[in-house]
């Protein structure tokens, strides 16, 4: 990949591209969101994101998973994308272990309904026990099922207390949380000002129609400023790294 910002003549690979100082606050992990969208802002194409991707984007996706202590994803995306368990490649596992991280990060699913497929490989083949983040008021039978297949973090009342749930992840030693969407949970967590970093891939295509963007559903109480720290390009795809600003 070509690094356009900061300017560099040197070729960078995806592992170098995702490396950064991510110092978490005391009470929760550093939360980095990774999303892809078309040039006209569509994050969903025919119900999925995959149609937008490229080899380089998939590589960045896997390398970002490599730096994460925990992966966060909402249930809508798990269902739409047929999520499987995390399967880091050997060199990613080795790099994680050398940094003192678990070989495989757990995936935490955010759900209100707790309506998840417990027989799916996501749960049955996970190397790192999955986590279910929900509310204490979720259906009791489903919560009991969830406890058989995952660690359950049920905090808040009728609604999930996301700050407290992230606090639990931090208490478990997770310093970097990779949020993989989708747009609804992104909107909620940006609304709560709980996202520190945005890695946005711009796919070189136009989708048209009424695109669903990378955030939806929640009008932010105030505009969130972003600072652009890195721009990479490969095959006309742009890889943008932003942090909150100011
Ligand atoms: N372009 C990209 O990079 C990208 C990345 C990810 C996903 N996507 C696409 O985005 C689409 C899915 O996004 P989406 O916005 O429809 O759904 P989503 O954000 O993935 O998931 C929404 C679900 O999350 C749970 N949830 C969200 N907020 C909650 C809250 N406050 N309390 C409790 N549960 C909560 C609910 O699960 P329950 O229904 O179980 O209660 C809700 O139905 C898919 O088409 C996917 O392919 C694109």
């Amino acid at each position: 990949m070509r690094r356009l910002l900061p300017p560099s003549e040197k070729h960078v690979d995806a592992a170098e591209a995702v490396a950064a100082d991510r110092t978490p606050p005391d009470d929760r992990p550093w939360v980095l969101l990774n999303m892809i969208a078309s040039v006209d802002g569509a994050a969903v194409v025919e119900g999925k994101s995959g149609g937008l991707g490229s080899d380089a984007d998939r590589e960045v996706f896997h390398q970002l998973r490599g730096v994460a202590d925990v992966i966060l994803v909402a249930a809508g995306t798990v269902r739409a994308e047929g999520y499987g368990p995390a399967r880091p490649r050997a060199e990613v596992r080795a790099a994680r272990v050398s940094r003192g991280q678990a070989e495989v990060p757990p995936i935490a699913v955010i759900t209100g309904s707790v309506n998840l497929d417990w027989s799916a490989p996501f749960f049955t083949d996970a190397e790192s026990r999955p986590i279910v983040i929900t509310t204490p008021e979720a259906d009791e039978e489903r919560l009991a099922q969830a406890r058989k297949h995952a660690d359950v973090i049920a905090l808040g009342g009728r609604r999930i207390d996301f700050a407290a749930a992230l606090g639990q992840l931090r208490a478990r030693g997770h310093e970097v949380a990779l949020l993989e969407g989708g747009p609804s949970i992104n909107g909620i967590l940006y609304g709560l000002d709980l996202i520190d970093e945005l890695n946005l891939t711009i796919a070189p295509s136009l989708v048209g129609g009424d695109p669903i963007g990378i955030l939806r559903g929640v009008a932010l109480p105030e505009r969130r400023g972003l600072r652009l720290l890195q721009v990479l390009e490969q095959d006309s795809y742009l890889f943008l790294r932003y942090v909150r600003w100011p």
Side-chain angles (χ1 to χ4, degrees), residues 22-31 166 170 174-176 193-194 196 244:
R22 297 186 171 97
T23 305
D26 290 338
D27 57 349
R28 62 171 177 79
W30 175 276
V31 178
L166 288 171
R170 184 80 167 89
H174 300 316
E175 297 195 344
V176 176
D193 203 12
L194 290 172
D196 301 290
R244 62 171 72 229

Side-chain angles (χ1 to χ4, degrees), residues 33-38 42-50 52 57 61 73-81 83 109-116 133-135 158-160 162 179-188 192 199-201 212-216:
L33 170 62
N34 183 38
M35 292 292 288
I36 185 168
S38 65
V44 181
V45 181
E46 293 171 357
K48 292 192 179 196
S49 61
L52 294 167
D57 175 63
F61 177 92
V73 63
T77 295
V78 170
R79 291 190 282 258
E81 304 271 351
Y83 253 50
V109 190
I110 298 160
T111 174
S113 70
V114 198
N115 183 13
L116 299 166
I133 296 179
T134 188
T135 79
R158 208 165 57 78
R159 291 162 182 266
I160 297 174
F162 285 104
L179 173 62
E180 295 186 341
S184 306
I185 198 67
N186 300 344
I188 290 167
L192 295 168
N199 286 264
L200 176 63
T201 301
I212 295 171
I214 62 168
L215 306 189
R216 80 164 160 184

Side-chain angles (χ1 to χ4, degrees), residues 1-17:
M1 281 185 269
R2 282 196 296 152
R3 181 176 267 152
L4 309 177
L5 179 77
S8 167
E9 294 299 311
K10 198 173 129 273
H11 177 92
V12 290
D13 66 25
E16 289 172 87

Side-chain angles (χ1 to χ4, degrees), residues 89-162:
R89 290 194 305 256
E91 76 274 13
V92 174
R93 288 174 190 253
R96 292 179 62 85
V97 171
S98 73
R99 289 192 296 261
Q101 294 177 290
E103 198 171 301
V104 180
I107 305 184
V109 190
I110 298 160
T111 174
S113 70
V114 198
N115 183 13
L116 299 166
D117 180 359
W118 310 112
S119 66
F122 180 85
F123 291 103
T124 58
D125 294 352
E127 287 179 61
S128 200
R129 189 170 167 82
I131 301 168
V132 169
I133 296 179
T134 188
T135 79
E137 296 191 14
D139 179 272
E140 271 183 31
E141 273 179 33
R142 289 183 178 169
L143 273 178
Q145 277 294 316
R147 288 198 175 94
K148 287 187 194 156
H149 302 277
D151 289 349
V152 175
I153 296 177
L155 291 171
R158 208 165 57 78
R159 291 162 182 266
I160 297 174
D161 181 337
F162 285 104

